[in-house]
Amino acid sequence: MKKVISLLLVFAILFAFAACNTEKEEPYQSVSMRIAGLAGPTGIGMVNLMKSQDDQTAKNNYAFSVVSDPTEIVSGMTNNSYDIAACPINLAATLYNKLEGNIQVLSVNTKGVLYILENGNTISSLSDLAGKKLYATGQGSTPEYILNYLLEKSGIADKVEVEYVTSHDELATLAAAGKATVAMLPEPKVTAAMMKNADLRIVLNLTEEFEKLSGETLIQGVVIASKDFVKSNPEAVEMFLKEYEDSIGYANSDVEGAAALCEQYKIIPKAAMAKKAIPNCNIAYIDGADMKSAVAANLQIFFDADKTSIGGKLPGDDFYYGV
């Protein structure tokens, strides 16, 4: 009888303990998030998450906006129309300074997307640009600073004639027509030009060249959030980052599927173009200390080139989420 009573007591204690634990495991509560993404490379990593939202399988309730102009992200984050945004790295720092620190970078989503094309066969290294005319876009923004950094580090800054064209589309058209024989372009405009002119070839991957000369990873796109939103919704932000990392993983592992979604969600105009461009877009998920190290190194280069390019000063440590 004593043994039976003892066993019953043990079972009763175990049952009570299990019941207590069950009570603590509350189901995840979905949170509504307003997310902006730019058409182009920085938006590619979101397409599978956008599909999950449409399929009602996402853990949070995401409202996505795809915009074509970075100023729309500036206004949206400033007037609290967006909680989270994918944007260029220098814009993230500018917003941090503009909004008095109420911006955090959550993760890197895009490494470098800049390439040099040639209609010919004379260039195989940066030094081969010496004595040539290079057409480029992005004057007064990160492409110019990246190019200047690479030319200076290579010792040929005064030996290359750089002519800036107003828009990526204009330069892609010039390159495709054979009127710009050497051109620096970002994806997917690289692919757009090459699809129209089979004589064009990629001769330099500036992400690789940047890493060789600086020892750092070239970063061009990040995901930012309102610091107030992060503080109010810590669990939801972690859930978003998990789903976002998965979305980027799917984009890199299923390029054809991601390309179709890029067209569907107006990230890249045509799936055929997206399919060719995605492997060159360096879509990546980097967070934590690695994110901070890479982003800070890039911002330092931009600051040294033109401090106004990042809003006048380098962000503080509070700029970096989860570090």
Side-chain angles (χ1 to χ4, degrees), residues 40-189:
T42 60
I44 293 172
M46 286 187 175
V47 293
N48 284 286
L49 187 52
M50 295 167 83
K51 184 178 188 301
S52 295
Q53 177 62 37
D54 286 347
D55 292 343
Q56 299 184 339
T57 58
K59 296 295 185 181
N60 289 308
N61 181 26
Y62 302 115
F64 288 99
S65 298
V66 177
V67 302
S68 57
D69 189 337
T71 60
E72 295 182 58
I73 289 178
V74 174
S75 60
M77 295 301 292
T78 300
N79 64 28
N80 198 33
S81 297
Y82 303 134
D83 304 306
I84 292 174
C87 68
I89 180 177
N90 67 312
L91 182 59
T94 299
L95 275 167
Y96 171 89
N97 286 317
K98 176 182 174 64
L99 301 181
E100 299 179 343
N102 191 31
I103 290 291
Q104 279 191 309
V105 58
L106 302 179
S107 71
V108 167
N109 68 357
T110 314
K111 297 180 184 179
V113 297
L114 292 171
Y115 296 84
I116 290 181
L117 298 175
E118 182 190 16
N119 191 335
N121 193 34
T122 65
I123 299 169
S124 60
S125 67
L126 280 169
S127 61
D128 292 332
L129 291 174
K132 291 185 167 56
K133 184 173 184 177
L134 171 65
Y135 290 84
T137 58
Q139 188 172 24
S141 59
T142 55
E144 180 185 5
Y145 306 138
I146 291 166
L147 176 60
N148 288 346
Y149 175 82
L150 293 174
L151 295 180
E152 287 168 9
K153 283 285 187 178
S154 300
I156 57 171
D158 59 344
K159 299 176 183 177
V160 181
E161 180 186 354
V162 181
E163 181 171 324
Y164 283 95
V165 177
T166 304
S167 71
H168 301 324
D169 286 328
E170 182 184 355
L171 182 50
T173 300
L174 290 173
K179 296 179 179 179
T181 56
V182 183
M184 181 183 77
L185 274 169
E187 281 288 13
K189 301 305 177 183

Side-chain angles (χ1 to χ4, degrees), residues 206-266:
L206 296 191
T207 302
E208 294 177 355
E209 300 301 326
F210 185 89
E211 186 167 347
K212 288 177 191 174
L213 292 172
S214 71
E216 301 288 348
T217 300
L218 178 59
I219 304 298
Q220 289 193 255
V222 295
V223 176
I224 61 172
S226 158
K227 193 179 293 181
D228 290 340
F229 182 82
V230 173
K231 288 180 180 177
S232 300
N233 303 278
E235 188 178 1
V237 169
E238 284 294 316
M239 181 61 74
F240 161 73
L241 288 174
K242 180 182 182 304
E243 293 195 293
Y244 186 54
E245 183 178 11
D246 289 343
S247 181
I248 287 176
Y250 292 142
N252 284 325
S253 63
D254 181 8
V255 172
E256 188 168 352
L261 293 176
C262 282
E263 179 176 341
Q264 178 180 336
Y265 293 115
K266 304 185 187 308

Side-chain angles (χ1 to χ4, degrees), residues 1-12:
M1 182 62 71
K2 287 180 179 179
K3 289 181 179 179
V4 172
I5 292 172
S6 296
L7 285 171
L8 288 173
L9 285 171
V10 169
F11 285 129

